[in-house]
């Protein structure tokens, strides 16, 4: 479960090697607190390294992260976590300061089967008036 969530967080979160790669990705909103400018997934020994780069416009003190992974022709698997807990799984902590964003995590290859997947990630702040932190959709292939 840790790696499922880690992969989803970081796919905020691409893949580039042989026949493995991110086919497409886009953000859902122009006014998200986190702006992702680069998303990669690289095939390595024993796993895939997922990296996301971008920026955080204002400090993030917490929120809720929901990620849904859907294999082509399969059933969706959704996970909702406290955002700070999810960030802790990838070596970061709340609050997240405004500024550059650079996340990276290796996901062992035995945790995810070869195939094409759709990933939908959204995060909202825990404030009294929830603000969109991130919304991202990605399609990727693992081989």
């Amino acid at each position: 479960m840790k790696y499922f969530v880690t992969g989803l967080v970081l796919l905020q979160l691409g893949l580039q090697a042989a026949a493995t790669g991110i086919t497409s990705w886009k953000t859902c909103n122009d006014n998200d607190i986190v702006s992702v400018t680069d998303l990669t997934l690289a095939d390595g020994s024993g796993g895939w390294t997922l990296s996301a780069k971008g920026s955080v416009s204002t400090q993030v003190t917490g929120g809720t992260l929901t990620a849904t992974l859907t294999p082509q022709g399969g059933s969706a698997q959704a996970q909702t976590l406290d955002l700070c807990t999810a960030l802790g799984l990838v070596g970061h902590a709340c609050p997240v300061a405004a500024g550059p964003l650079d996340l990276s995590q290796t996901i062992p290859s035995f945790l995810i089967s070869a195939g094409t997947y759709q990933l939908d990630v959204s995060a909202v702040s825990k404030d009294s008036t929830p603000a969109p932190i991130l919304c991202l959709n990605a399609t990727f292939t693992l081989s």
Side-chain angles (χ1 to χ4, degrees):
M1 185 59 79
K2 171 185 173 184
Y3 291 103
F4 174 77
V5 172
T6 299
L8 299 179
V9 168
L10 289 174
L11 256 165
Q12 309 163 349
L13 1 193
L15 303 163
Q16 294 179 356
T20 298
I22 287 185
T23 308
S24 65
W25 69 275
K26 67 177 182 166
T27 57
C28 313
N29 307 310
D30 292 333
N31 61 341
D32 288 346
I33 293 170
V34 172
S35 171
V36 175
T37 56
D38 188 35
L39 188 62
T40 61
L41 183 61
D43 194 4
S45 61
W48 298 282
T49 299
L50 180 60
S51 301
K53 293 184 181 186
S55 63
V56 180
S57 63
T58 60
Q59 177 176 281
V60 175
T61 58
T64 303
L65 173 78
T66 300
T68 303
L69 184 66
T70 308
Q72 186 174 29
S75 300
Q77 298 176 16
Q79 180 77 35
T80 299
L81 285 176
D82 173 79
L83 180 61
C84 295
T85 299
L87 287 170
L89 295 173
V90 295
H92 290 271
C94 286
V96 177
L101 172 73
D102 191 352
L103 299 173
S104 184
Q105 179 73 33
T106 298
I107 304 162
S109 57
F110 65 84
L111 290 175
I112 243 179
S113 302
T116 299
Y117 296 85
Q118 171 69 37
L119 176 67
D120 302 302
V121 179
S122 66
V124 294
S125 69
K126 67 176 184 174
D127 303 328
S128 58
T129 305
I133 295 173
L134 172 75
C135 181
L136 180 84
N137 307 112
T139 302
F140 61 95
T141 300
L142 301 175
S143 60

